[in-house]
Amino acid sequence: MLLISLFSWWYTGGLKVRARGLLAALTRTLDLFSIGLLLKTLFAPFRQISAAQSATAPIDVKFRMFFDRTFSRLIGAVMRMIVIVAGLLTILVQTIISIFMIVLHLVLPLLPVVGIVMLIFGWVPKWPI
């Protein structure tokens, strides 16, 4: 009876706990990188210090401010693209590991049975010496 209750918890409640934990970790990673927000602000200026706008400034100052803002936007776009690529790679790796953990959770109780069957049939790994 104990064995049946352990298996029933493992494949229902335990699987739900594992899936919720992995989903919560993936949600935290998605929130950490905020890829949607980075895409919305892709060409927003990056740390502008002296690129303020002035309607009464001479033309050479206006050109300098324009190029300062353009350069700032390019730096911002490059930095955001690097973070987006790193975030997508991290999310991909974390998703693959989560799928592997769910499959391992489903298969783990069967491994002792597989070991006993291998013992009965006399299968032994061949190690090169």
Side-chain angles (χ1 to χ4, degrees):
M1 190 66 169
L2 176 67
L3 192 62
I4 292 173
S5 64
L6 286 174
F7 277 118
S8 66
W9 176 84
W10 185 264
Y11 287 110
T12 57
L15 187 59
K16 286 180 187 177
V17 169
R18 171 80 54 171
R20 283 185 193 141
L22 293 172
L23 189 60
L26 188 60
T27 303
R28 286 191 304 270
T29 304
L30 286 169
D31 185 49
L32 175 70
F33 284 102
S34 302
I35 293 175
L37 183 61
L38 288 173
L39 287 173
K40 285 180 188 176
T41 62
L42 186 61
F43 291 107
F46 182 74
R47 298 197 182 227
Q48 273 187 308
I49 297 172
S50 64
Q53 290 182 341
S54 174
T56 60
I59 192 75
D60 62 331
V61 175
K62 286 184 180 181
F63 273 123
R64 187 172 29 137
M65 288 188 299
F66 170 75
F67 286 118
D68 284 348
R69 285 192 306 271
T70 304
F71 184 72
S72 178
R73 290 176 193 274
L74 288 175
I75 295 295
V78 169
M79 295 300 292
R80 287 178 179 95
M81 288 302 292
I82 290 170
V83 173
I84 288 171
V85 168
L88 289 175
L89 287 175
T90 303
I91 290 168
L92 177 69
V93 168
Q94 189 172 6
T95 303
I96 291 170
I97 290 173
S98 296
I99 291 170
F100 176 74
M101 294 294 291
I102 292 291
V103 169
L104 184 66
H105 183 91
L106 293 172
V107 173
L108 193 64
L110 301 176
L111 291 181
V113 174
V114 171
I116 292 171
V117 169
M118 288 169 44
L119 177 72
I120 290 173
F121 287 114
W123 183 84
V124 191
K126 296 180 181 179
W127 304 101
I129 299 177

